[in-house]
Amino acid sequence: MVSTADRSEIAFFDLETTIPTRPGQSYAILEFGSILVCPKKLIELESYNTLVRPHDLSFLSPNFVRANGITADAVVSAPTFSEIADRVYDILNGRVWAGHNILRFDCVRLREAYAQINRPPPEPKGTIDSLALLTQRFGRRAGDMKMATLAAYFGLGRQSHRSLDDVRMNFEVVKHCATVLFLVISQVFSIIISLFYIQFHSNILLIQESANPVEQIPIPVESVYLPPESIPSNEAMVEDSSSTTLSDAFNKQSEFITSTEISRPSITVSVAPFLHGSQRIQILHRDIPLQIRCDAMRIRFGLSTKFLDHAGRPRLSFVVDLNSSDLCDLLDACDNIAKRFVDSDSNHEWRPVVSRKPGFYDSPTIRLHLRTIAGDSSGWMTEIYHKQSSSSSSSSSSLSAQQLVYSNYDVIELDALFRPGSFVDAYFSLDPYNYPQNAGIRLVAKKLIVHY
């Protein structure tokens, strides 16, 4: 007999159950399906699948037919759970368990089933819940992260809601997600190398300029990557002209300009191929990522904590009134340009960057998003400053403002700062996104100066 310590295979499994229709009614297992996977080669080694007759046949009505095709007649003639309990125990006990939403559903139902027959349940060596794992690591690229949505995202067909088919689909989804994350990590390494290349050659250029100010040697660049924080977003990598030096391109990435300084004919969109036919979109102004400064914007609604990031922390944003018709027209123009690059045959809902609700808002509004540190560290990447309202002018805001430092995610403290009716000078970038259900442009605040 193989000891549990030697059971290195990963057991992907899935249960199909009845759905309680009255208070106090429990779930009943109707089907169990599993595959054993080699963790080194990521191949299926063996499979097991069976329908299960519930211990209480009252769960099944004469006309009972599940949407997945499991009929009452098929279930009635199937073995009971007590008859398959030994086989299920042998498959699962001492192995790593894997499945989609198994921690909240399948594992609970399995323990209930063993308790009903007075048997100890199998115990896992570890668990891999692909719903929790992919939500944390893969993000919201695939919408609601349901198995059907993930399968559609990767072109794996429709979910059948049959145990063995769903298990195999789950396995394929995990492999596809792992491939995407591997490629993203590869891009991050490329970015780090590029930034080292930029810094190294910029230093050489500075030395050459100091040694011989007459003879300057510009360093051409094929392409310049954005900083690493842009990777989790939908920002595209920027292709610069060959006449731009690396040091120039690096410095220009930090420029913020007002709407009156922007030439509309100079706004372009850079589109780079991404994964599985998708594209990364970057809005440029004169071949530089467009970043905008707008002063004295009135806060309409304070911080929103409705949405969470991959680590379960709130994604903070707030709404401001658009106090400039030029900026309003500019953002509309950027909307129209970016929208053309979304597949025309897709089911995306385009969400305009400028919100207009007649009869409710007395002016157009935009939503500004705060940036947070990528990964598991706590902290805000958006620079936040406090400025007395009596300061001479908004143009000198950065000189008279005091930077605030937040070492953790104290939403209450920040919420008190962003009071409706107060004013803020905003420095923000345009971050196009393209998800299966919706697309649009997200305005990401790099720096905020809050008036008080």
Side-chain angles (χ1 to χ4, degrees):
M1 181 176 179
V2 179
S3 67
T4 56
D6 299 329
R7 308 189 115 199
S8 61
E9 304 90 354
I10 300 173
F12 280 78
F13 74 97
D14 178 71
L15 303 177
E16 293 297 324
T17 70
T18 59
I19 300 174
T21 57
R22 59 179 183 269
Q25 188 180 49
S26 61
Y27 291 86
I29 296 176
L30 298 179
E31 188 174 34
F32 174 88
S34 68
I35 60 173
L36 294 184
V37 172
C38 172
K40 294 182 179 179
K41 299 181 179 180
L42 291 181
I43 58 174
E44 179 181 329
L45 300 175
E46 63 178 88
S47 64
Y48 174 71
N49 185 56
T50 181
L51 291 172
V52 181
R53 177 164 58 94
H55 68 280
D56 187 351
L57 293 179
S58 67
F59 287 179
L60 304 176
S61 64
N63 298 322
F64 173 80
V65 177
R66 286 182 56 82
N68 50 23
I70 300 178
T71 64
D73 290 341
V75 171
V76 168
S77 61
T80 63
F81 184 79
S82 61
E83 293 174 302
I84 67 166
D86 287 340
R87 181 68 186 276
V88 172
Y89 188 95
D90 182 62
I91 292 170
L92 297 179
N93 191 54
R95 287 193 168 103
V96 174
W97 297 1
H100 205 65
N101 198 32
I102 59 171
L103 291 177
R104 291 187 177 182
F105 187 80
D106 301 77
C107 293
V108 177
R109 304 286 86 81
L110 200 64
R111 291 185 181 279
E112 290 173 351
Y114 275 94
Q116 288 171 354
I117 61 174
N118 297 315
R119 294 274 301 275
E123 296 295 338
K125 185 162 58 176
T127 56
I128 303 173
D129 191 321
S130 57
L131 175 60
L133 177 65
L134 297 182
T135 299
Q136 180 182 16
R137 299 299 181 189
F138 192 66
R140 294 288 178 176
R141 293 174 176 87
D144 59 15
M145 302 303 288
K146 292 181 179 179
M147 183 54 59
T149 308
L150 286 161
Y153 180 78
F154 290 114
L156 299 176
R158 300 185 62 180
Q159 185 182 10
S160 68
H161 293 285
R162 295 299 300 268
S163 291
L164 190 57
D165 290 341
D166 285 3
V167 163
R168 285 176 172 149
M169 178 173 282
N170 189 190
F171 181 37
E172 290 301 314
V173 163
V174 170
K175 288 194 293 184
H176 277 71
C177 289
T179 301
V180 171
L181 294 175
F182 172 78
L183 292 174
V184 169
I185 291 172
S186 299
Q187 289 177 356
V188 171
F189 279 120
S190 296
I191 289 169
I192 293 172
I193 293 171
S194 296
L195 292 177
F196 273 118
Y197 181 80
I198 290 170
Q199 186 63 45
F200 175 74
H201 284 285
S202 295
N203 290 340
I204 291 178
L205 184 59
L206 290 174
I207 293 171
Q208 291 170 337
E209 289 174 349
S210 300
N212 190 351
V214 178
E215 222 179 292
Q216 297 183 7
I217 305 174
I219 302 172
V221 58
E222 295 293 335
S223 60
V224 177
Y225 294 107
L226 292 176
E229 64 261 26
S230 65
I231 283 298
S233 71
N234 290 334
E235 294 181 1
M237 291 184 290
V238 181
E239 293 187 359
D240 226 331
S241 65
S242 58
S243 62
T244 305
T245 65
L246 282 169
S247 56
D248 287 342
F250 188 77
N251 291 332
K252 285 181 180 179
Q253 289 184 24
S254 62
E255 290 183 353
F256 291 88
I257 53 180
T258 65
S259 57
T260 57
E261 298 173 304
I262 297 173
S263 169
R264 303 296 171 81
S266 300
I267 298 176
T268 58
V269 172
S270 171
V271 180
F274 192 44
L275 303 171
H276 304 286
S278 64
Q279 298 174 326
R280 287 185 179 274
I281 302 173
Q282 177 73 33
I283 300 174
L284 309 177
H285 180 251
R286 292 174 178 160
D287 299 326
I288 299 298
L290 178 59
Q291 300 190 109
I292 300 172
R293 186 188 85 234
C294 187
D295 297 329
M297 306 182 80
R298 182 178 179 274
I299 298 176
R300 167 73 66 166
F301 298 114
L303 292 182
S304 168
T305 59
K306 180 179 179 181
F307 299 104
L308 304 178
D309 66 9
H310 67 279
R313 298 181 297 246
R315 293 184 182 274
L316 300 186
S317 63
F318 63 100
V319 175
V320 296
D321 290 329
L322 267 178
N323 57 0
S324 167
S325 58
D326 284 341
L327 179 56
C328 186
D329 294 341
L330 171 65
L331 293 177
D332 285 339
C334 292
D335 240 358
N336 292 331
I337 293 173
K339 189 176 181 180
R340 293 202 299 265
F341 290 89
V342 176
D343 296 337
S344 58
D345 59 347
S346 68
N347 294 322
H348 300 85
E349 175 192 354
W350 184 267
R351 296 182 176 178
V353 66
V354 178
S355 178
R356 297 175 175 86
K357 295 186 178 181
F360 184 67
Y361 297 158
D362 55 12
S363 66
T365 61
I366 55 174
R367 182 175 292 275
L368 297 175
H369 297 259
L370 273 65
R371 298 191 305 165
T372 55
I373 294 176
D376 298 326
S377 301
S378 295
W380 309 104
M381 290 184 67
T382 301
E383 295 180 18
I384 302 176
Y385 296 81
H386 227 176
K387 170 181 175 289
Q388 290 185 354
S389 300
S390 58
S391 295
S392 58
S393 67
S394 56
S395 61
S396 61
S397 297
S398 59
L399 299 177
S400 59
Q402 178 183 3
Q403 184 172 6
L404 305 177
V405 179
Y406 297 95
S407 59
N408 52 44
Y409 286 79
D410 192 339
V411 178
I412 297 177
E413 188 176 8
L414 280 177
D415 189 49
L417 180 66
F418 293 91
R419 298 189 304 270
S422 58
F423 291 86
V424 61
D425 303 336
Y427 299 71
F428 58 89
S429 62
L430 283 70
D431 178 15
Y433 61 92
N434 189 354
Y435 299 144
Q437 285 79 23
N438 54 75
I441 299 174
R442 184 182 291 107
L443 304 181
V444 181
K446 302 291 185 69
K447 181 169 72 171
L448 296 169
I449 302 176
V450 183
H451 300 223
Y452 69 98

